[in-house]
Amino acid sequence: MDSVIQKIKENNHVALSRVISRIENDEKMEDSFFEEIHPLSQDAIRIGITGPPGAGKSTLINEFISVCLNNQKSVGVVAVDPTSPFTGGAFLGDRVRMNQFLWNDQVFIRSMGSHGDLGGLAKKAQDVGDVLAASGKDIIIFETVGVGQGEHDVAKAVDITVVVLVPESGDEIQLMKAGLIEIADFFVINKSDREGAGRLAQLLKNVLHSFAKQDKIEPPILNITASKGEGIFELFLALMGHLTSIKSNNYLSQKRLSRYRERVQGIIREALENAFWTEEKNQSLDQLTEGVDSMLQSPYSLAKTLFTEDKNA
Ligand SMILES: Nc1nc2c(ncn2[C@@H]2O[C@H](COP(=O)(O)OP(=O)(O)OP(=O)(O)O)[C@@H](O)[C@H]2O)c(=O)[nH]1
Ligand SMILES: [Mg+2]
């Protein structure tokens, strides 16, 4: 077996980090890599944790890791940073503040930039999740700042999405706009030591109720104070309970199946595009768009020319 895969199976964090950097930087892994990783990556639970900047996501995850460890579960954390083109694992101390786990081989933490290419994030999160799962991590957490598209991409790569809000998170219209209700399996109101936490919980409950869909369990709402570690164990229990129920009613396997399908489609899309853009094609495009006058031609007809040119050759 390939020695990189062997090292990942042995939970070698240096090898893990290298492979994740390659995925982050769009360096292609051999197809056989993911073929061999696949059977090893089935068991881990993947959780997305998203919410507005500064909501306390990292503080929460930090506490959550301790609870996981106390319950004999190893953890991988990836902090996705949509604003950073490349992190190289840096900023970790700043943004993630989970340094006490640095020497613990049951905890792997790093950040990952998205190269401004948010569309590719779902794929990267899948691939990175697989690699972490293959190293034996029981729970894999993706932290994303819920400000745009990034959290939606990550939601496609996880089993459960937790949306973290704070008492100031505001009115229902904002929540709707953010589209967070669509992706949330769980809501956490953090900083519940502050005024307004109860009010937001009530408001959220009403909104969720009016939006209730038959095929989806109404997301539970938990009040926590991450900075004091309050409510974290309850969150852990609630997530594990949720997991048991979505396993038993097949919701999880259906969700994973549709994720699997989308992934196959994505791989095909990428392969087709890569096959199309040969050196000759790139040259043709350059030649055909040499001057600004080339824009007189509709982009559709130029695309058609590029599509059909080998066939006419
Ligand atoms: N009062 C109060 N403050 C908290 C609580 N949880 C976190 N904080 C504080 O909120 C600030 C932001 O916490 P982070 O954990 O970095 O928040 P984040 O959501 O990870 O931030 P980004 O990753 O930058 O979006 C820090 O100063 C925390 O100490 C809480 O329960 N109550
Ligand atoms: Mg953070």
Side-chain angles (χ1 to χ4, degrees), residues 229-262:
E230 288 171 13
I232 306 287
F233 182 58
E234 287 75 7
L235 175 64
F236 177 84
L237 288 181
L239 287 174
M240 293 305 133
H242 178 75
L243 206 64
T244 308
S245 89
I246 61 175
K247 268 183 186 162
S248 67
N249 66 12
N250 278 334
Y251 179 82
L252 181 63
S253 41
Q254 287 305 319
K255 192 171 180 175
R256 286 182 170 175
L257 182 60
S258 67
R259 196 159 98 198
Y260 181 85
R261 271 194 210 111
E262 278 189 35

Side-chain angles (χ1 to χ4, degrees), residues 51-60 94-95 97 143 145 190-194 224-228:
K57 302 177 290 296
S58 300
T59 311
L60 184 162
D94 285 359
R95 290 207 60 249
R97 276 184 239 104
E143 178 186 336
V145 183
N190 189 34
K191 309 199 184 183
S192 287
D193 51 331
R194 291 188 183 168
I224 71 166
T225 303
S227 56
K228 294 183 191 158

